[in-house]
């Protein structure tokens, strides 16, 4: 069944109506900048309309199902989190972190068409066109179609398009006794063999130029070597010298300060929601810290935060 037929059947719309919508789908995005966590530059978010999101989910579930994702990819996968990504490295002394520049935008329609053809068989010209229009956004004055940061289908697409890269790098790492994981565009490599990671950045840059797709570029400013002698940070978490996953000293201090504030003074709804999320995160990442703050501040105070819901505004009836 073609993509057009699939959508026509599911949405009960004529193929002619769908064609008109899909032709303009790359422009049906709300595009806005978000400051990067580093404070340097912005990240462009392209958020598809609700109708386009629904179509992307439908086609991804049917047309893209079964495409391979390597086991080293820990982002956007059910049952896995940044904790799983970090735990793969707790027993290793030496660490190398790298990431890619413009990870999602570097992936284009031709990459996905080639990938689908390679792993699911040939794709018709019409379906290739539908893939381009449904899953990639563009500006009206710029014909370049890019994978969107903000579309529900983009995480799956990025993970599966990295399959060849992941397979090749994993095979190379196995020979060197190096542990490799990838969380979206963040690469983590660890080992217990001193010096073995030093040549890895050049190898990865060479691999980026050798794979068939996508077109990847290493962000050299974010290449970091570390070891057990220093703090080892993996996807925002800390690996302690006791080989445990930790939230880190600064984050713990921040959580304690917010709990104290919630106990002694009023907090806004936004602050309470933030604290509730931080508590859930802490409970998942470092249960011993959660138990410690529950003991310090008391379970009633912690339960109150976890159960917080903003009061509903009452609307006066009009007479």
């Amino acid at each position: 069944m073609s993509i057009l037929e699939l959508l026509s059947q599911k949405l009960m719309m004529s193929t002619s109506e769908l064609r008109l919508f899909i032709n303009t789908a790359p422009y049906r995005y709300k595009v806005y900048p978000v400051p990067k966590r580093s404070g340097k530059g912005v990240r462009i978010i392209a958020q598809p309309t609700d109708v386009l999101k629904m179509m992307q989910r439908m086609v991804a579930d049917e047309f893209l199902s079964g495409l391979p994702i390597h086991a080293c990819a820990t982002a956007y996968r059910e049952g896995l989190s940044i904790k799983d990504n970090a735990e793969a490295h707790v027993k290793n002394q030496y660490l190398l972190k790298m990431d890619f520049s413009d990870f999602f935008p570097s992936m284009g329609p031709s990459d996905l068409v080639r990938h689908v053809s390679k792993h699911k068989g040939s794709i018709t010209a019409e379906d290739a066109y539908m893939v381009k229009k449904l899953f990639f956004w563009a500006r009206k004055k710029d014909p370049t179609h890019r994978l969107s940061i903000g579309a529900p289908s983009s995480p799956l697409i990025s993970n599966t398009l990295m399959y060849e890269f992941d397979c090749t790098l994993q095979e190379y790492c196995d020979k060197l006794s190096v542990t490799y994981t990838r969380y979206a565009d963040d690469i983590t490599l660890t080992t217990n063999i001193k010096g073995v990671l030093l040549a890895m950045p050049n190898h990865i840059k060479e691999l980026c130029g050798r794979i068939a797709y996508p077109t990847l570029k290493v962000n050299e400013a974010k290449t970091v070597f570390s070891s057990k002698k220093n703090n080892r940070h993996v996807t925002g978490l800390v690996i302690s010298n006791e080989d445990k996953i930790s939230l880190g000293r600064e984050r713990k201090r921040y959580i304690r300060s917010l709990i104290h504030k919630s106990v002694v003074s009023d907090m806004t709804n936004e602050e309470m929601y933030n604290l509730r999320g931080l508590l859930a995160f802490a409970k998942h990442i470092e249960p011993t810290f959660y138990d410690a703050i529950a003991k310090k501040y008391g379970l009633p105070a912690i339960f109150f935060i976890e159960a917080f819901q903003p009061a509903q505004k009452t609307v006066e009836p009009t007479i």
Side-chain angles (χ1 to χ4, degrees):
M1 184 185 297
S2 71
I3 291 174
L4 206 57
E5 290 169 337
L6 170 70
L7 289 174
S8 179
Q9 188 180 91
K10 285 186 174 290
L11 299 173
M12 292 184 289
M13 291 175 62
S14 68
T15 55
S16 57
E17 287 178 299
L18 283 168
R19 282 182 194 278
L20 289 173
F21 181 93
I22 292 170
N23 283 341
T24 58
Y27 315 117
R28 296 178 181 269
Y29 289 77
K30 179 184 177 183
V31 181
Y32 54 93
V34 173
K36 292 183 178 179
R37 271 184 261 174
S38 64
K40 297 178 181 179
V42 296
R43 196 180 307 279
I44 301 299
I45 306 297
Q47 191 84 30
T49 64
D50 289 343
V51 174
L52 181 53
K53 280 183 186 178
M54 179 175 61
M55 289 184 176
Q56 288 171 340
R57 289 190 182 101
M58 287 177 176
V59 178
D61 288 346
E62 296 281 343
F63 190 76
L64 303 183
S65 65
L67 288 174
I69 295 173
H70 198 280
C72 74
T74 57
Y76 320 124
R77 299 181 70 182
E78 189 174 351
L80 295 179
S81 69
I82 59 172
K83 184 177 183 179
D84 298 284
N85 186 70
E87 281 183 334
H89 302 280
V90 294
K91 298 297 183 183
N92 294 334
Q93 296 184 58
Y94 305 104
L95 177 145
L96 168 62
K97 293 190 298 182
M98 301 177 67
D99 80 0
F100 299 109
S101 299
D102 300 320
F103 183 60
F104 274 30
S106 68
M107 300 181 183
S110 62
D111 298 330
L112 185 54
V113 170
R114 290 176 71 181
H115 191 65
V116 171
S117 299
K118 180 178 179 179
H119 294 282
K120 300 191 73 171
S122 60
I123 178 173
T124 66
E126 181 185 67
D127 277 345
Y129 179 80
M130 294 296 152
V131 161
K132 177 180 179 179
K133 294 297 181 180
L134 279 171
F135 293 124
F136 298 85
W137 73 281
R139 300 181 188 275
K140 289 190 176 180
K141 294 182 180 180
D142 182 356
T144 305
H145 287 62
R146 307 168 179 85
L147 195 62
S148 156
I149 303 173
S153 50
S154 293
L156 164 65
I157 292 171
S158 68
N159 260 350
T160 192
L161 286 181
M162 289 295 290
Y163 184 70
E164 181 186 350
F165 177 92
D166 290 336
C167 286
T168 308
L169 184 54
Q170 181 69 71
E171 185 179 347
Y172 183 75
C173 288
D174 287 343
K175 295 175 182 177
L176 299 175
S177 298
V178 171
T179 301
Y180 163 55
T181 63
R182 181 181 57 79
Y183 194 91
D185 60 343
D186 290 322
I187 290 176
T188 305
L189 301 132
T190 58
T191 185
N192 281 316
I193 304 173
K194 189 175 183 179
V196 76
L197 296 176
L198 295 177
M200 196 63 78
N202 284 335
H203 176 80
I204 289 174
K205 283 186 279 186
E206 184 272 331
L207 175 58
C208 289
R210 180 158 42 94
I211 58 171
Y213 59 83
T215 304
L216 299 169
K217 184 179 179 182
V218 171
N219 183 351
E220 296 189 40
K222 287 194 173 183
T223 297
V224 176
F225 289 94
S226 188
S227 72
K228 203 167 185 176
K229 293 179 181 179
N230 307 299
N231 286 332
R232 290 168 294 164
H233 296 268
V234 178
T235 47
L237 301 179
V238 176
I239 301 177
S240 71
N241 286 338
E242 294 76 38
D243 297 336
K244 303 289 185 183
I245 302 298
S246 172
L247 295 162
R249 193 174 301 169
E250 291 300 319
R251 188 179 272 144
K252 289 179 185 179
R253 187 180 293 123
Y254 178 59
I255 292 172
R256 288 193 199 97
S257 70
L258 289 181
I259 296 173
H260 178 74
K261 184 178 179 181
S262 75
V263 171
V264 301
S265 64
D266 290 335
M267 295 177 72
T268 65
N269 287 347
E270 185 177 350
E271 288 175 321
M272 287 294 286
Y273 266 128
N274 180 44
L275 179 53
R276 190 177 73 172
L278 284 169
L279 278 182
F281 182 68
K283 191 174 185 179
H284 171 63
I285 299 297
E286 195 173 348
T288 53
F289 170 71
Y290 175 88
D291 293 341
I293 57 176
K295 184 177 181 180
K296 178 177 180 179
Y297 295 99
L299 283 173
I302 300 300
F303 289 162
F304 174 77
I305 296 166
E306 292 177 327
F308 173 78
Q309 292 289 343
Q312 295 285 335
K313 290 184 178 180
T314 56
V315 179
E316 295 292 332
T318 54
I319 300 175

